[in-house]
């Protein structure tokens, strides 16, 4: 059953996460339905918001989040969850139990949709192209997510937990501010066209990306060989997966899930 006043024809986007369903309407509102005990992901200002009804995400007690065109997130548990929303104006909001604002402050819980600080590249004209969230480490107590924003110019930025190299900056250092995802230890990516973050299951943080010239890359934790690399469980910097032949194979779409990478 959809929220009161929302019809099937007025739903622009729908995404499902662990114990959570999120819809974006044509009017740009965001609704969250979740049985997860984490009330923060419902975005209505309470850690104990109703788990059995739709919640309309707000930026404060009296103001709805509006003009949203895309939503991404990763929901694993009561302590590991974060959602991002991109608006038509190019603003990015986030909420959840373990999210980052990109302004060099530590991971924090946000019960309302909170405006993120974006890299200086982004302006009213040069707006973000895509957003993404991954995070969590299987069978550990790690409760921090990692967030991404892609520019139309091809630059990809990350902020958050980096224990499994998921920030893609050739380190394992937590990043509370935005850093460039790199194609080499000292070379920033400047030609990324599409990203897919592992958002479907708890743990196994990772990202897949496609460049403007149709090359496929993956990085993070190779749990179950999901990055297409040789050693399961190993950590990988951004690199072309095994079996993808540069110059012959051409990627136009990719999806990274728990233990599965397709393109």
């Amino acid at each position: 059953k959809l929220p009161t006043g929302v019809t099937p024809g007025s739903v622009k986007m729908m995404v499902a996460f662990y114990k959570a369903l999120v819809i974006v309407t044509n009017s740009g509102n965001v609704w969250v339905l979740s049985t997860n005990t984490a009330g923060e992901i419902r975005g209505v200002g309470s850690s104990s918001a109703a788990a059995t009804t739709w919640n309309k995400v707000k930026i404060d007690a009296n103001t709805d989040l509006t003009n949203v065109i895309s939503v991404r997130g990763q929901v694993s548990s009561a302590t590991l969850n974060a959602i991002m929303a991109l608006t038509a104006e190019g603003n990015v909001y986030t909420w959840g139990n373990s999210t980052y604002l990109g302004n060099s402050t530590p991971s924090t819980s946000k019960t309302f949709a909170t405006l993120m600080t974006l890299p200086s590249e982004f302006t009213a004209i040069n707006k973000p192209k895509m957003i993404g969230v991954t995070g969590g480490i299987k069978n550990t107590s790690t409760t921090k997510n990692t967030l991404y924003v892609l520019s139309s110019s091809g630059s990809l930025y990350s902020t958050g937990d980096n224990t499994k190299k998921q920030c893609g900056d050739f380190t394992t250092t937590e990043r509370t501010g935005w850093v460039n995802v790199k194609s080499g230890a000292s070379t920033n990516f400047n030609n990324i066209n599409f990203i897919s973050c592992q958002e479907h299951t708890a743990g196994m943080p990772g990202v897949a990306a496609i460049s403007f010239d149709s090359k496929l890359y993956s990085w993070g934790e190779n749990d179950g060989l999901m990055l297409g690399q040789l050693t399961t469980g190993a950590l990988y910097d951004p690199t072309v997966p095994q079996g993808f032949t540069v110059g012959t194979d051409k990627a136009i779409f990719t999806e990274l899930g728990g233990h599965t990478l397709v393109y």
Side-chain angles (χ1 to χ4, degrees), residues 39-79:
E40 290 86 351
I41 62 171
R42 298 180 187 107
V44 292
S46 171
S47 60
S48 58
T52 57
T53 59
W54 287 98
N55 294 270
K56 192 176 186 181
V57 177
K58 298 178 177 293
I59 60 175
D60 59 46
N62 301 307
T63 311
D64 295 334
L65 176 62
T66 59
N67 294 331
V68 172
I69 58 175
S70 178
V71 167
R72 298 256 58 101
Q74 201 265 359
V75 179
S76 298
S77 66
T79 55

Side-chain angles (χ1 to χ4, degrees), residues 47-263:
S47 60
S48 58
T52 57
T53 59
W54 287 98
N55 294 270
K56 192 176 186 181
V57 177
K58 298 178 177 293
I59 60 175
D60 59 46
N62 301 307
T63 311
D64 295 334
L65 176 62
T66 59
N67 294 331
V68 172
I69 58 175
S70 178
V71 167
R72 298 256 58 101
Q74 201 265 359
V75 179
S76 298
S77 66
T79 55
L80 179 61
N81 55 83
I83 297 178
M84 298 175 76
L86 173 63
T87 72
E89 298 88 351
N91 294 321
V92 178
Y93 290 82
T94 185
W95 64 96
N97 185 267
S98 59
T99 193
Y100 293 78
L101 297 179
N103 59 359
S104 299
T105 58
S107 173
T108 183
S109 172
K110 294 296 181 183
T111 57
F112 285 119
T114 304
L115 185 65
M116 298 186 73
T117 299
L118 295 181
S120 59
E121 172 181 350
F122 295 103
T123 65
I125 297 176
N126 181 26
K127 302 173 184 178
K129 179 180 179 178
M130 295 184 73
I131 53 176
V133 182
T134 192
I137 301 173
K138 188 172 68 173
N139 300 326
T140 74
S141 60
T142 298
T143 55
K144 296 178 180 179
N145 287 89
T146 312
L147 289 69
Y148 304 82
V149 61
L150 174 64
S151 75
S152 296
S153 70
S155 296
L156 178 60
Y157 301 89
S158 59
T159 183
D161 182 54
N162 198 19
T163 310
K164 300 296 184 179
K165 289 195 170 185
Q166 63 265 44
C167 279
D169 65 345
F170 283 69
T171 78
T172 56
T173 303
E174 179 186 15
R175 300 301 184 180
T176 58
W178 294 103
V179 294
N180 286 91
V181 176
K182 299 179 179 296
S183 59
S186 58
T187 307
N188 297 335
F189 266 123
N190 60 8
N191 66 337
I192 297 299
N193 188 43
F194 184 91
I195 61 170
S196 172
C197 300
Q198 199 295 100
E199 61 185 12
H200 303 290
T201 190
M204 297 166 278
V207 182
I210 298 172
S211 62
F212 285 123
D213 56 354
S214 301
K215 294 178 184 176
L216 180 66
Y217 298 89
S218 61
W219 63 93
E221 182 182 17
N222 193 37
D223 197 296
L225 304 177
M226 73 177 194
L227 299 180
Q229 302 298 349
L230 293 176
T231 305
T232 187
L235 310 183
Y236 285 88
D237 300 309
T239 190
V240 175
Q242 299 292 316
F244 185 92
T245 303
V246 174
T248 300
D249 297 329
K250 302 290 184 181
I252 59 172
F253 179 87
T254 186
E255 180 78 10
L256 180 61
H259 295 158
T260 308
L261 171 62
V262 298
Y263 80 89

